[in-house]
């Protein structure tokens, strides 16, 4: 009898262990949540052919990510100048359960204009796939009412000369801004009309904040060096922060170490989270055409010393 009892215990344990093994072999079901999705500059749902394209989203999965993929596909009920499709994938999120995906890629120059399906695919490590479909319009720059681009940026050490010129890089390699230096910048935005706003920003690199539209600027993390706006521009032209429009005037100057910035209408205090200090900073230009909801931006890195 004792031997029979031991045998039954052994068999029961084996069955229980076997069931546990079977459970462990069954992969978890893939459940995906995509939040805070931005397709195109300012989430305008447009891609400009041959130009940089903005995508941002927060992804949370029940398993673990293997790869994130985007496809742009033609619709069966639409006509196009030619057959065309596009796909791109990123594997740097492998092994994560939640992440922010912030990507920029170029819409190929051979893409025909039209309305497309914008498909987001999340592949997990179990081989399962989640797919979410949205809409996107691909347009040429020539067909847009405005096509803003940062044409020129010259960062100036007041009384010392230019520190940086766009497309030419740093005038003096290794030079930095130090406490007490005065700076301003001359900015030209091309291909704009109607209404728009320009911000020149200084941001600590550690803040991990690089806004690409004026709506996304977190003023608790940025120092405003200059801000200008244009209204009533009837023809496509240049907009600058230093001449050409009645309210422009000269670019605003800002001292490295100032207690307040140059925000309009009310300067912001430079303290607490964005207090000046030694280290790496971004110097940025952010412009949004508020009439047509199209934006452009440009950032460079520089060092601050003397604190």
């Amino acid at each position: 009898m004792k031997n029979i009892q031991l045998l039954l215990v052994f068999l029961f344990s084996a069955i229980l262990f076997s069931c546990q093994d079977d459970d462990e072999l069954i992969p978890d079901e893939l459940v995906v949540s995509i939040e805070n999705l931005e397709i195109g500059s300012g989430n305008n749902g447009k891609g400009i052919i041959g130009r940089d394209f903005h995508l941002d989203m927060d992804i949370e999965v029940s398993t673990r990510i293997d790869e994130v993929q985007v496809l742009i596909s033609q619709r069966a009920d639409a006509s196009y100048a030619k057959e065309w499709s596009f796909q791109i994938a990123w594997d740097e999120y492998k092994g994560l359960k939640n992440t922010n995906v912030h990507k920029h890629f170029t819409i190929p120059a051979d893409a025909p204009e039209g309305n497309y399906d914008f498909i987001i695919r999340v592949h997990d490590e179990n081989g399962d796939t989640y797919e979410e479909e949205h809409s996107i319009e691909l347009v040429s720059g020539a067909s847009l009412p405005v096509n803003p681009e940062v044409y020129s940026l010259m960062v100036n050490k007041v009384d010392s000369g230019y520190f940086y010129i766009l497309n030419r890089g740093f005038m003096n390699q290794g030079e930095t801004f130090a406490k007490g230096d005065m700076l301003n910048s001359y900015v030209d935005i091309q291909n704009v009309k109607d209404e728009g706003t320009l911000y020149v920003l200084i941001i600590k690199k550690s803040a991990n904040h690089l806004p690409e539209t004026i709506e996304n600027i977190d003023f608790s993390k940025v120092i405003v060096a200059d801000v200008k706006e244009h209204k009533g521009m009837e023809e496509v032209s240049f907009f600058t922060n230093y001449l050409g429009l009645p309210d422009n005037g000269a670019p605003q100057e800002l001292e490295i170490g100032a207690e307040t910035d140059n925000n309009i209408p009310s300067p912001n205090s430079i303290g607490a989270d964005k207090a000046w200090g030694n280290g790496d900073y971004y110097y940025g230009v952010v412009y949004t055409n508020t009439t047509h909801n199209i934006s452009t931006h440009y950032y460079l890195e520089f060092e601050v010393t003397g604190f």
Side-chain angles (χ1 to χ4, degrees):
M1 179 65 68
K2 185 175 181 180
N3 290 337
I4 293 174
Q5 290 176 335
L6 289 173
L7 179 61
L8 289 174
V9 169
F10 174 78
L11 289 173
F12 178 77
S13 299
I15 292 170
L16 180 61
F17 182 77
S18 176
C19 291
Q20 289 175 339
D21 282 351
D22 289 342
D23 291 340
E24 290 174 358
L25 291 174
I26 299 173
D28 294 333
E29 181 183 358
L30 172 61
V31 179
V32 177
S33 172
I34 297 178
E35 302 288 344
N36 303 316
L37 177 62
E38 295 181 3
I39 299 175
S41 173
N43 196 27
N44 62 7
K46 294 184 186 294
I48 303 175
I49 296 168
R51 291 271 302 274
D52 176 82
F53 178 80
H54 163 86
L55 172 66
D56 195 89
M57 55 186 169
D58 294 322
I59 297 178
E60 184 173 352
V61 302
S62 57
T63 55
R64 292 190 183 276
I65 297 170
D66 181 60
E67 183 180 75
V68 177
Q69 185 180 30
V70 162
L71 299 89
I72 302 176
S73 301
Q74 293 179 333
R75 296 174 174 174
D77 59 351
S79 60
Y80 306 88
K82 65 175 183 179
E83 290 188 6
W84 181 88
S85 64
F86 174 83
Q87 69 178 43
I88 189 170
W90 304 282
D91 61 5
E92 64 260 41
Y93 309 106
K94 182 177 177 63
L96 300 178
K97 293 178 69 68
N98 59 80
T99 187
N100 172 257
V101 176
H102 181 190
K103 289 295 180 180
H104 286 262
F105 55 89
T106 299
I107 302 296
D110 64 342
E113 291 187 291
N115 293 309
Y116 290 77
D117 291 326
F118 187 89
I119 302 166
I120 300 168
R121 287 180 181 167
V122 180
H123 304 278
D124 77 352
E125 292 183 337
N126 296 328
D128 294 323
T129 299
Y130 171 86
E131 184 172 293
E132 192 169 294
E133 186 176 295
H134 299 270
S135 297
I136 187 175
E137 182 183 10
L138 298 187
V139 298
S140 67
S143 68
L144 291 171
V146 296
N147 185 17
E149 292 184 88
V150 180
Y151 175 78
S152 175
L153 168 62
M154 298 185 293
V155 183
N156 182 40
K157 273 190 175 183
V158 178
D159 300 327
S160 299
Y162 291 113
F163 177 78
Y164 181 89
I165 298 178
L166 179 62
N167 297 325
R168 291 179 58 187
F170 286 97
M171 298 293 290
N172 297 299
Q173 294 293 333
E175 189 175 3
T176 63
F177 279 111
K179 182 179 181 180
D181 284 344
M182 297 292 294
L183 65 85
N184 63 12
S185 58
Y186 295 79
V187 185
D188 294 88
I189 309 293
Q190 66 177 352
N191 302 324
V192 300
K193 69 173 185 176
D194 299 320
E195 298 186 6
T197 303
L198 165 73
Y199 280 88
V200 179
L201 305 173
I202 297 175
I203 310 170
K204 276 185 176 179
K205 195 171 184 179
S206 59
N208 194 29
H209 178 59
L210 292 177
E212 298 172 8
T213 70
I214 62 172
E215 291 84 0
N216 289 336
I217 297 174
D218 183 344
F219 289 96
S220 71
K221 297 179 179 179
V222 308
I223 297 169
V224 177
D226 202 354
V227 54
K228 294 289 193 303
E229 63 179 9
H230 63 83
K231 295 181 179 180
M233 287 181 64
E234 297 181 357
E235 301 294 332
V236 175
S237 184
F238 282 87
F239 169 59
T240 78
N241 70 330
Y242 57 95
L243 54 83
L245 292 173
D247 297 330
N248 271 6
Q252 296 188 79
E253 297 181 358
L254 181 71
E255 181 180 356
I256 301 296
E259 295 183 356
T260 58
D261 68 8
N262 290 331
N263 191 44
I264 293 176
S266 301
N268 297 309
S269 174
I270 303 174
D273 292 340
K274 57 183 178 182
W276 293 104
N278 297 326
D280 295 325
Y281 282 74
Y282 291 109
Y283 196 92
V285 174
V286 182
Y287 168 86
T288 295
N289 191 280
T290 50
T291 302
H292 302 283
N293 189 27
I294 300 177
S295 301
T296 188
H297 66 279
Y298 181 85
Y299 287 97
L300 64 94
E301 295 184 34
F302 70 101
E303 184 181 0
V304 168
T305 63
F307 287 90

